[in-house]
Amino acid sequence: MTTALHSKDTTTALVAFSAALVTATAATTYLLTTRYEQSKERARAWKQYQREKLLKEKTAEARKTMKEPSSGTLIDDVFIDKVFLWECQDLRKSFASANVANHMHFQYETIHPLASTALQRKNSTEIITQYNKLITDHECILGDIVRKPNKQTNTVAYMRAGPRRYLHFDPAQVNAAIVTCGGLCPGLNNVIREITKSLYQLYAIGGKVYGIRGGYRGFWDPELEPVELTLDLVENIHHGGGTVLGSSRGGFDLDKILDFVRDRKISQLFVIGGDGTHRGAFRIHEGCIERGYNVAVAGIPKTIDNDVDYIDQSFGFQSAVEAAQVAIRSAKTEAVCNLPNGIGIVKLMGRSAGFIAAHSTMASSDVDLCLVPEVPVVLDGETGCLPHLMRRVKQQGYAVVVVAEGAGEEVLGTSTEVDASGNKKLPAIGEFMKKSIEEYFKKHGETATVKYIDPSYTVRTVPANAADSLYCMQLAQNAVHGAMAGYTGFSVGLCNNRMVLLPIPELVATSPRSMNARGRTWERVIGLTRQPNTVPELEEGKVDPKDNQPTPH
């Protein structure tokens, strides 16, 4: 019996061992099979990767040969087939050119004391440095960089600014003049300084740089004798606001200006001003050509309202927006602290364009109502700004209003009076809004405590901030580069974040520009203020003048 039991246990053990062996074998087989399949998949994937890599390399090489980009998806409903370059007039086509090779010239003056400190001798050392980048002919910046499917297939392009390989003028023979016209703007002194420094330090001109005092009138008014601008004189002027040359509106007398150019042997004239000033600069350019004067006339766009067309923005604009923040914070403090129903109103610059008001509103995020010239002002009713203000006051206890000086013509009427520059005189929109708010609250049995702040001249007289200082330097240097190369009747600006030269007739043809009331900027403003959108809707099928995309149904 014992033997039978032992035999049974052995059999059971053998069966269990066999089952375990079978299981282990199956598991091993499965593992080996899985690893083999994975190895095959990796090998297949590697071969596929190698094929794709080889294909990409061949495609990139082919595109390189064909001057096509090495990556990206080719789309067949967006393309450009024609580029029309806005060329600036070139003096080299009408006058003999000096054809001087262009290099940077750095001059250093060292003082050597002699026997006494009263007698000293100055030695001048000049270092010539090659430019790393010189601009070639037809190097340009495309004007319209937003391309829409199945739309126009051509675009304009602007001449790229910068130093050219050869100079039209011999720097040793150059006399230059600088004039500032129109209202004040942050950065004017920066531009004056950088033009002067570029002429003397980059080009080592042998003549003088005249600063014309008091705008165009300074060319002929005996009480406004020009000042000679030197490196020492302009060294620190950028730390102050305004213009060391003074400015004025009007005073344009073409014949007297041309006589000044002739008598002082001016070969380069730099005019800093807005669209009206630029129109005058182009008349000077035409007058020089008619008289046979080999003179380059260059403009630098100046408008605190940011309303010169085509350029990304005008110098001083960012500084003005920054300075406006102080007034908006003051208005908020007044509104919060003065009971009952405190409301602070800030009037900012903006005759025909609301850029300063809109950007200041977005920068502060404390504004409850923004009024600009491009958007109709509706006082009462469902989309009225006065009911909106009352709602905001009831919600938070106060409200802040920012209004551009040119807003509200639809409720105030259009003035027929003009100033010396031909600009129409504007109604007092700030005072009108203050009175309207007080009357509206009174009509509804409430009392509004309204404080009105007009920081216009504070905003326009501040020194340029860091961003504008850099921009002014770029504008000034490129104006000098363009003039030295022989271009005339042009202005400089930042277009699509690149410095360009623009023909003055094209620049002023559509200036002053206005903000797109159906664009992203105004959408952001009403998103912040939560005010009613009073921009009229386009009729079905109509096209927005500022956008060639048809209006959605």
Side-chain angles (χ1 to χ4, degrees):
M1 183 162 183
T2 301
T3 302
L5 290 173
H6 179 71
S7 177
K8 185 177 180 180
D9 291 341
T10 300
T11 301
T12 303
L14 288 171
V15 171
F17 175 75
S18 298
L21 183 61
V22 170
T23 302
T25 301
T28 302
T29 302
Y30 174 78
L31 180 61
L32 291 174
T33 302
T34 301
R35 288 183 176 177
Y36 175 71
E37 293 296 331
Q38 290 175 345
S39 177
K40 285 177 61 178
E41 179 62 25
R42 285 196 295 270
R44 187 199 64 77
W46 175 252
K47 289 181 180 179
Q48 179 66 21
Y49 169 76
Q50 291 291 338
R51 285 195 296 269
E52 291 178 355
K53 181 181 178 183
L54 181 61
L55 180 61
K56 288 180 178 179
E57 289 175 349
K58 289 183 177 180
T59 302
E61 186 64 28
R63 284 179 169 175
K64 183 178 180 181
T65 303
M66 298 175 64
K67 298 182 179 180
E68 290 186 0
S70 59
S71 62
T73 302
L74 179 63
I75 54 178
D76 58 6
D77 58 353
V78 176
F79 59 94
I80 298 174
D81 60 2
K82 293 180 181 178
V83 176
F84 298 91
L85 180 64
W86 280 5
E87 290 188 297
C88 301
Q89 189 158 345
D90 192 344
L91 291 171
R92 291 173 293 183
K93 297 178 179 179
S94 304
F95 300 92
S97 178
N99 211 32
V100 178
N102 192 3
H103 309 291
M104 282 187 282
H105 296 258
F106 300 128
Q107 290 186 334
Y108 298 91
E109 287 187 346
T110 55
I111 300 177
H112 300 283
L114 299 177
S116 67
T117 56
L119 297 174
Q120 294 181 334
R121 182 177 71 251
K122 287 186 179 181
N123 287 341
S124 180
T125 302
E126 183 176 81
I127 298 176
I128 298 178
T129 302
Q130 302 290 337
Y131 280 103
N132 292 324
K133 170 68 176 176
L134 291 168
I135 305 302
T136 59
D137 291 342
H138 288 187
E139 192 167 340
C140 58
I141 305 300
L142 296 183
D144 185 7
I145 60 174
V146 178
R147 313 306 301 172
K148 297 181 180 180
N150 301 314
K151 294 300 172 184
Q152 63 185 37
T153 60
N154 57 67
T155 183
V156 298
Y158 315 131
M159 295 177 61
R160 190 171 185 183
R164 265 55 181 180
R165 186 171 299 277
Y166 295 101
L167 306 178
H168 173 67
F169 293 100
D170 180 357
Q173 306 298 321
V174 167
N175 289 304
I178 305 171
V179 62
T180 55
C181 304
L184 298 183
C185 176
L188 283 169
N189 282 333
N190 298 68
V191 177
I192 296 168
R193 178 180 187 264
E194 297 302 332
I195 291 175
T196 304
K197 289 173 69 69
S198 297
L199 288 166
Y200 282 125
Q201 294 185 336
L202 293 183
Y203 287 96
I205 65 168
K208 297 179 179 180
V209 180
Y210 293 98
I212 309 303
R213 298 170 54 214
Y216 282 133
R217 184 179 301 276
F219 283 102
W220 52 267
D221 191 333
E223 296 184 1
L224 297 171
E225 186 67 20
V227 59
E228 182 181 344
L229 297 175
T230 63
L231 292 176
D232 289 340
L233 184 62
V234 303
E235 182 62 30
N236 295 304
I237 63 174
H238 60 302
H239 296 306
T243 164
V244 294
L245 299 179
S247 186
S248 68
R249 302 184 186 277
F252 186 86
D253 189 316
L254 180 58
D255 288 333
K256 292 179 180 179
I257 293 173
L258 293 176
D259 290 344
F260 177 94
V261 169
R262 178 199 59 205
D263 296 343
R264 300 296 177 110
K265 295 180 172 58
I266 302 298
S267 51
Q268 296 178 17
L269 173 60
F270 300 93
V271 181
I272 310 168
D275 60 297
T277 299
H278 271 67
R279 290 185 176 92
F282 194 74
R283 288 176 62 191
I284 297 173
H285 148 73
E286 291 179 315
C288 288
I289 296 297
E290 288 176 5
R291 289 196 182 189
Y293 296 167
N294 184 21
V295 176
V297 180
I300 297 91
K302 179 230 49 135
T303 164
I304 198 171
D305 293 347
N306 197 36
D307 59 358
V308 171
D309 211 356
Y310 298 110
I311 62 175
D312 293 352
Q313 66 179 32
S314 55
F315 75 83
F317 175 70
Q318 291 193 44
S319 301
V321 171
E322 185 176 306
Q325 302 307 298
V326 178
I328 294 174
R329 285 193 291 269
S330 297
K332 181 177 180 180
T333 300
E334 288 284 352
V336 170
C337 297
N338 282 283
L339 304 177
N341 302 324
I343 297 176
I345 301 176
V346 177
K347 189 190 82 170
L348 297 176
M349 309 297 291
R351 303 183 62 86
S352 57
F355 290 108
I356 289 184
H359 283 254
S360 298
T361 294
M362 292 187 291
S364 73
S365 291
D366 288 328
V367 179
D368 302 289
L369 175 65
C370 178
L371 303 178
V372 295
E374 297 87 344
V375 179
V377 174
V378 178
L379 295 177
D380 208 344
E382 185 178 348
T383 59
C385 61
L386 298 178
H388 165 72
L389 276 179
M390 179 168 278
R391 288 192 297 269
R392 295 298 292 146
V393 169
K394 294 305 177 184
Q395 289 169 356
Q396 62 186 12
Y398 66 92
V400 178
V401 179
V402 167
V403 55
E405 61 179 339
E409 281 194 344
E410 53 280 326
V411 293
L412 289 173
T414 303
S415 175
T416 57
E417 297 183 70
V418 296
D419 61 18
S421 295
N423 298 317
K424 63 182 178 183
K425 295 184 178 180
L426 301 171
I429 181 64
E431 292 88 340
F432 172 80
M433 286 303 301
K434 180 178 185 297
K435 181 180 179 182
S436 298
I437 292 169
E438 291 170 339
E439 291 177 350
Y440 183 82
F441 273 73
K442 184 177 181 180
K443 176 182 174 182
H444 289 80
E446 300 274 356
T447 298
T449 308
V450 185
K451 303 297 181 181
Y452 175 61
I453 300 173
D454 182 355
S456 299
Y457 296 100
T458 302
V459 167
R460 67 196 298 176
T461 56
V462 299
N465 63 12
D468 274 325
S469 294
L470 174 59
Y471 188 23
C472 289
M473 180 191 72
Q474 293 174 299
L475 291 169
Q477 286 187 355
N478 283 293
V480 174
H481 288 322
M484 280 290 181
Y487 293 112
T488 183
F490 73 91
S491 191
V492 292
L494 194 68
C495 295
N496 299 328
N497 205 34
R498 293 290 188 275
M499 295 301 303
V500 302
L501 307 182
L502 297 164
I504 290 178
E506 299 290 354
L507 184 68
V508 301
T510 53
S511 294
R513 70 176 174 191
S514 58
M515 184 178 63
N516 185 1
R518 295 183 178 87
R520 295 286 184 265
T521 297
W522 188 245
E523 285 183 352
R524 295 186 184 103
V525 169
I526 61 177
L528 283 169
T529 62
R530 291 175 282 179
Q531 68 191 72
N533 186 5
T534 58
V535 177
E537 292 186 6
L538 287 175
E539 297 179 16
E540 184 175 323
K542 293 290 185 179
V543 176
D544 189 337
K546 291 182 177 292
D547 187 1
N548 57 14
Q549 185 80 345
T551 305
H553 291 180

